[in-house]
Amino acid sequence: MTYVKTQNNIEEIIHSTVHSVNMTMEVYKDNSGINMSYNFIGNYIGVDLHRLFIAIEEMPCSLTMELYVKILTMHELGHAMDRVALMNTLERTKEIFHMKRNHSIKEIYNNLEMLSVILEEHEMNLVFEETAWTNAETLNETYKIVDPVHLEFVKKHSLSTYINSYEADLSIYNSLMEETNEQIA
């Protein structure tokens, strides 16, 4: 199967899955480096087809592209179901974005206050990810799109990336906190 034909097939799977759960959602190709994402401001799903092919290879077990795309699509629709909560964080999200844009990584990771904001962002993202997966599970229970075992597997793998990133930054924060306390003592 050619790459272009596979890309078209993926888009068909996404649209079919959206339709299967009685939702409507625009889908746009992007080059974000994120396999699939939900843009809550524009209320659409973005898909980076190149990254999608890489991401499925990173899965610890073998899944068909069709199954993987259906599960990710339901997850992104799960975010859409939580759009009001996402919109309610828009101002804080902008503040965090500006802080990150106005300071270097080195500055952020050597400043307890700024690093605590990064942890806050992680915590917000984890809540949104968990909610989206819960919503995806509800969609799947209602519409029987995929085997729940496969959905759970992708969910755990996906959440682990967020948890690992949070824990890494938390470890840096705790080390910086210890250094600061030692300097004070």
Side-chain angles (χ1 to χ4, degrees):
M1 187 179 297
T2 67
Y3 185 71
V4 172
K5 187 174 180 183
T6 303
Q7 286 182 336
N8 290 338
N9 190 34
I10 289 170
E11 291 178 61
E12 289 172 17
I13 294 166
I14 295 168
H15 289 289
S16 172
T17 305
V18 171
H19 180 74
S20 293
V21 298
N22 293 320
M23 292 178 75
T24 56
M25 181 71 50
E26 293 294 322
V27 178
Y28 297 103
K29 292 180 193 175
D30 66 33
N31 296 310
S32 65
I34 301 169
N35 49 16
M36 288 181 78
S37 59
Y38 173 66
N39 182 305
F40 68 91
I41 297 169
N43 194 31
Y44 66 86
I45 293 174
V47 58
D48 184 329
L49 294 167
H50 177 71
R51 176 65 184 128
L52 196 58
F53 284 95
I54 295 168
I56 194 169
E57 295 299 321
E58 295 171 348
M59 292 298 297
C61 81
S62 180
L63 296 171
T64 66
M65 182 62 82
E66 179 178 6
L67 179 60
Y68 188 57
V69 169
K70 284 180 178 183
I71 292 169
L72 291 181
T73 301
M74 285 191 296
H75 170 71
E76 299 312 332
L77 293 172
H79 281 301
M81 293 167 66
D82 194 33
R83 186 172 186 226
V84 171
L86 289 162
M87 291 296 287
N88 287 338
T89 66
L90 184 57
E91 288 307 312
R92 184 61 178 150
T93 300
K94 286 180 186 176
E95 291 168 4
I96 294 169
F97 173 80
H98 289 297
M99 182 206 73
K100 289 165 65 175
R101 193 172 83 197
N102 292 327
H103 297 280
S104 70
I105 296 291
K106 185 177 180 179
E107 287 177 302
I108 292 169
Y109 281 84
N110 285 293
N111 180 296
L112 281 171
E113 187 176 327
M114 286 191 278
L115 195 48
S116 71
V117 171
I118 297 301
L119 292 175
E120 175 191 349
E121 180 183 39
H122 280 301
E123 291 163 0
M124 284 180 4
N125 288 338
L126 275 167
V127 168
F128 289 131
E129 287 301 308
E130 289 167 351
T131 300
W133 282 112
T134 299
N135 290 341
E137 290 168 333
T138 300
L139 287 173
N140 196 50
E141 287 169 12
T142 303
Y143 296 100
K144 313 283 188 242
I145 305 297
V146 299
D147 183 330
V149 171
H150 292 119
L151 190 142
E152 183 66 21
F153 184 79
V154 175
K155 170 188 166 183
K156 283 184 179 181
H157 178 73
S158 174
L159 285 175
S160 73
T161 63
Y162 286 89
I163 292 166
N164 292 343
S165 180
Y166 171 74
E167 289 176 349
D169 284 349
L170 181 59
S171 178
I172 294 168
Y173 178 86
N174 289 334
S175 294
L176 187 59
M177 178 69 85
E178 284 179 32
E179 285 177 28
T180 304
N181 288 338
E182 288 172 7
Q183 291 173 357
I184 295 172

